Each structure stands twice: as C-alpha cells, then as structure tokens.
Amino acid sequence: QVQLVESGGGVVQAGDSLRLSCAASGRTFSMYAMGWFRQAAGKEREFVAAISWGGGSTYYRDSVKGRFAISRDNAKNTLYLQMNKLEPEDTAVYSCAAYTSRSTFSTTTSGAPDAYDYWGQGTHVTVSS
C-alpha cells in the first residue's frame, strides 16, 4: 500500500521556480520507481519526469529538460520535482505516481501512465505570463 500526497504548487510568474514534493505513506516507497505527470485543463495527462528506485536513473520529457529536476529521498519517503524557468505552458495539475509495471523501467516504459498504479491527488501549478 502506497499513499501519495503532493504539495508545493502555487501561482507564479514566468521564469520563476517551484519545488514540488510528494510525501509517501507506507513502508514500500523505496521499492518503486516514481514519476511526475501533469494535466492541463481540457487536455490529456502527460509524462513529466521519472526516477528509478535508487535515484540513479532519471527521465524527462523534452520540453522540461534543463529546467526541471526530479529527485528522491527514500529515508524521508519523499519525491521532489524542482521546476525552474517556468513557462505558461507548464500550468497544470501535477501528480506523483508509483511505477508498478512488470516491464523494465526505462526511457520508454517510464512515460506511460498505465505503468503506474498509485497516484496522488495532485497539486496545482499556475504560471502567468
């Protein structure tokens, strides 16, 4: 059992930074690779970033490479997403999720929403121009 709660969202201006956190409850957090997804109003949910269980491998969608950084602290059962140089296009509800697919965690499999079974409720990020 994994319960996930996101925090850190807010309203910022373009170019600003935010750090999102995802607190996990339960003793199984360190067993899962984790991902961040986002969903803008009226649009499909899309992959943002993912990290392996030990933090050694990370993956990002092209539009956030160089701006966002995913990390985790297994001792604190917490996942992070540092977002820099935010753009209006980043406006969305951001959710964290635990990777539960039996497929090997990779650059391709980590980006599929159906590879994740545990989801948080999301935190809102609004970037004004």
Side-chain angles (χ1 to χ4, degrees), residues 42-103:
K43 306 195 73 175
E44 298 291 330
R45 180 164 54 199
E46 65 182 16
F47 169 74
V48 177
I51 187 169
S52 60
W53 70 268
S57 298
T58 57
Y59 307 108
Y60 301 90
R61 70 178 297 108
D62 289 342
S63 63
V64 307
K65 288 181 178 178
R67 299 191 298 120
F68 291 9
I70 187 171
S71 62
R72 66 191 298 164
D73 187 336
N74 289 342
K76 296 181 179 179
N77 291 334
T78 304
L79 175 74
Y80 303 99
L81 183 67
Q82 178 66 47
M83 305 185 294
N84 300 320
K85 300 179 180 179
L86 284 163
E87 304 169 352
E89 292 75 19
D90 296 319
T91 295
V93 174
Y94 285 71
S95 300
C96 61
Y99 186 88
T100 53
S101 173
R102 292 187 177 183
S103 298

Side-chain angles (χ1 to χ4, degrees), residues 16-33:
D16 286 351
S17 298
L18 279 176
R19 189 191 194 194
L20 305 184
S21 296
C22 172
S25 298
R27 299 183 297 276
T28 60
F29 175 74
S30 63
M31 296 176 62
Y32 299 102

